[in-house]
Amino acid sequence: MNKKDIANIRKQFKVNNDLLKIHDIYYVYIMKESSEIYHHQSFPFDLLEEEQKELFMDNFKKVLSGQMDEKLFELKFLRDVEDSSQLILHQGLLASETEEWKNQMLRLVEKMLHDKQYEMDIVITFIRGEYMKPMKKSTESEESDRDTVYANPFILCSMNRTLDPKKELLFDYVEKEFKYNIVVDPIINLKAPLSGFLFPCFTENAADVNHVLYASGKKFELDYHFIEEVLNAEEIMTAADDKVVFEEIVKKVTGDQISTSTLSNVYDEIHRVVEENEEEEVPRLDYKDVEKVLRSSGVQDVDTEKVETAFKTVIDDEKYEFKATNIVPKFTSKSIKIKTKVADIAVSPPELRHVKQVKFDGKLYMMIELEENPLIEGFEMIPEALFNKANDEQE
């Protein structure tokens, strides 16, 4: 799934939307002490009160929120796995009876609890439904865009923590006295899902049952137990992982030394690849593409064998492909960090070419080309006399 596919389904999660039909909702309450199911129940979604529907719709949208390879990850199911979650989900998707669907979801919950101890009570919520996407209307047809739709059945799961009830002091207007409010029921935090998933994935209206969309609670914080043992999915790389691996490969090829202008050229070249891409899918770079990028950026002594060897050494997979947007996610400030013992500096890739390392009077300095006087805490810096003095002495 790309961000457009995710946005298309995410925006459907609103109450009284005729393009989204949620058939059933199923809650499973897990106790932290025993990691056992304390309670579970299901309802037709339409029987919930409007306020409850709103709460859950907002929660489901949050599950599908975030950037790909940061919070959302399209995972490929592993083959030949015993008690395969792909098969469980597919059977649940095709189940004609609610009880049969619940039984399949309970099988998933059992996998979630196997060899796993949660730090707080957990509520796992499953829904099954369909979202409809209208076909593009022909200019010659008078049919409504709702007359013909793609029907996409799906299962969505959300895992939410519980919060301890608040202890509050209340004022009773009738009795005219302060009262201590005691609430013993835990609160289900629907504002920040811990994780979740959507099955199947959808690409341009086509269901892909070989993939599942996994959602993490925070950027780059993946639950590998959930990915590998519960969903039975292949290992994945986050955008942050991709960037680190790419940098290590460039170090192997260049011998750990590269000028700022050359490095800036490398990021410029990758950015150009992204900008010139006309496909909806993000362009990917294999070792041959990386070789071309480094050559065109001015890196010396680059050849296919050297780059391929770097791939094998760093990631143990010469066939690996980077997502270009993961390497240079955004051309913003603080994209590239320059670390020194004195200070850490962050600059955007286009501005990296204005940073130079120079040697003066036996010492190393970092020189930044400026178009105007910089500000420090609102104060405008004034030029130092260091270089002027040196020039005077030489004269």
Side-chain angles (χ1 to χ4, degrees):
M1 296 181 75
N2 57 36
K3 62 181 180 180
K4 183 178 179 182
D5 296 318
I6 295 169
N8 282 336
I9 186 170
R10 182 178 180 272
K11 68 183 180 182
Q12 304 305 329
F13 281 91
K14 49 191 175 185
V15 177
N16 300 322
N17 176 16
D18 63 339
L19 291 177
L20 180 73
K21 175 64 176 177
I22 299 178
H23 305 302
D24 300 289
I25 185 167
Y26 182 36
Y27 320 102
V28 183
Y29 195 101
I30 308 299
M31 298 292 290
K32 64 180 179 181
E33 291 89 356
S34 59
S35 287
E36 293 179 351
I37 296 174
Y38 178 74
H39 178 69
H40 62 96
Q41 64 183 125
S42 66
F43 297 99
F45 193 77
D46 286 341
L47 293 186
L48 297 179
E49 296 178 359
E50 290 296 301
E51 291 79 5
Q52 288 180 301
K53 290 180 183 178
E54 291 281 0
L55 286 172
F56 279 111
M57 287 296 191
D58 288 342
N59 176 71
F60 300 146
K61 283 199 290 188
K62 286 184 172 66
V63 171
L64 299 175
S65 297
Q67 297 296 320
M68 290 296 291
D69 301 321
E70 293 184 1
K71 285 189 68 180
L72 299 175
F73 302 85
E74 184 178 88
L75 310 180
K76 185 177 182 179
F77 288 111
L78 291 168
R79 297 291 186 183
D80 303 321
V81 175
E82 185 178 351
D83 195 29
S84 165
S85 290
Q86 180 183 13
L87 181 59
I88 292 171
L89 285 165
H90 197 235
Q91 290 174 339
L93 195 69
L94 299 177
S96 57
E97 301 294 332
T98 301
E99 205 60 35
E100 183 183 353
W101 171 66
K102 286 170 53 180
N103 289 336
Q104 298 300 336
M105 297 306 100
L106 276 176
R107 289 175 64 190
L108 278 180
V109 173
E110 289 171 1
K111 297 179 73 169
M112 294 178 193
L113 301 181
H114 183 67
D115 294 332
K116 179 71 174 181
Q117 181 71 46
Y118 293 100
E119 297 177 356
M120 72 292 290
D121 289 0
I122 298 290
V123 175
I124 304 169
T125 306
F126 297 97
I127 57 170
R128 65 167 179 163
E130 282 184 318
Y131 94 96
M132 278 66 72
K133 187 176 180 184
M135 296 181 66
K136 290 184 179 179
K137 184 174 61 174
S138 170
T139 55
E140 299 178 1
S141 173
E142 295 182 359
E143 290 183 345
S144 165
D145 63 350
R146 302 295 177 93
D147 289 344
T148 308
V149 297
Y150 296 103
N152 300 294
F154 68 88
I155 293 172
L156 187 143
C157 170
S158 174
M159 295 183 67
N160 299 78
R161 72 173 72 231
T162 59
L163 304 175
D164 292 331
K166 294 182 179 180
K167 298 177 181 179
E168 298 175 317
L169 189 65
L170 304 180
F171 181 72
D172 189 325
Y173 276 102
V174 178
E175 301 293 335
K176 294 183 179 179
E177 63 178 357
F178 292 98
K179 293 182 177 180
Y180 183 59
N181 184 41
I182 303 176
V183 180
V184 296
D185 297 328
I187 299 168
I188 302 171
N189 183 8
L190 294 176
K191 295 182 179 180
L194 293 174
S195 65
F197 65 82
L198 171 72
F199 174 83
C201 284
F202 298 100
T203 303
E204 296 181 355
N205 309 309
D208 178 6
V209 296
N210 293 316
H211 290 82
V212 60
L213 184 71
Y214 164 74
S216 63
K218 296 181 180 179
K219 287 171 60 173
F220 307 126
E221 292 187 12
L222 280 64
D223 184 341
Y224 290 99
H225 172 270
F226 193 87
I227 292 170
E228 297 168 11
E229 303 300 327
V230 178
L231 294 177
N232 305 137
E234 293 182 352
E235 293 182 5
I236 55 172
M237 296 278 283
T238 68
D241 293 335
D242 255 0
K243 195 169 189 301
V244 170
V245 170
F246 176 76
E247 290 170 354
E248 288 300 315
I249 287 173
V250 172
K251 286 179 184 179
K252 288 290 182 185
V253 175
T254 61
D256 289 343
Q257 292 187 337
I258 190 170
S259 69
T260 53
S261 58
T262 302
L263 185 58
S264 181
N265 290 340
V266 170
Y267 288 117
D268 282 347
E269 186 65 22
I270 298 171
H271 183 67
R272 182 189 63 78
V273 171
V274 175
E275 289 293 302
E276 293 180 358
N277 177 53
E278 296 180 355
E279 304 293 329
E280 287 198 7
E281 291 297 323
V282 175
R284 294 177 177 269
L285 306 176
D286 60 14
Y287 73 92
K288 293 180 181 178
D289 297 316
V290 172
E291 179 193 353
K292 291 177 184 176
V293 166
L294 297 180
R295 279 181 179 276
S296 59
S297 302
V299 177
Q300 300 297 316
D301 301 323
V302 177
D303 57 53
T304 303
E305 183 179 355
K306 185 180 288 188
V307 177
E308 190 175 4
T309 301
F311 268 71
K312 290 179 182 177
T313 303
V314 175
I315 199 171
D316 195 26
D317 183 5
E318 68 273 20
K319 304 297 183 183
Y320 185 76
E321 295 181 343
F322 297 100
K323 284 187 178 180
T325 50
N326 288 354
I327 301 171
V328 188
K330 295 177 183 176
F331 263 34
T332 61
S333 61
K334 300 184 180 178
S335 292
I336 299 175
K337 293 182 180 179
I338 304 173
K339 294 184 176 293
T340 72
K341 289 184 178 180
V342 177
D344 292 344
I345 300 172
V347 296
S348 61
E351 307 305 325
L352 189 59
R353 65 184 73 254
H354 300 301
V355 181
K356 307 290 182 185
Q357 178 178 287
V358 298
K359 197 167 186 177
F360 174 74
D361 199 20
K363 295 182 179 180
L364 285 176
Y365 292 87
M366 184 178 296
M367 183 171 68
I368 303 176
E369 180 184 339
L370 303 173
E371 295 181 355
E372 56 187 10
N373 288 345
L375 297 176
I376 299 180
E377 296 293 333
F379 294 95
E380 184 174 314
M381 292 181 67
I382 60 174
E384 298 287 345
L386 179 63
F387 289 99
N388 294 333
K389 180 180 178 181
N391 290 334
D392 291 342
E393 291 176 352
Q394 289 178 1
E395 293 176 358

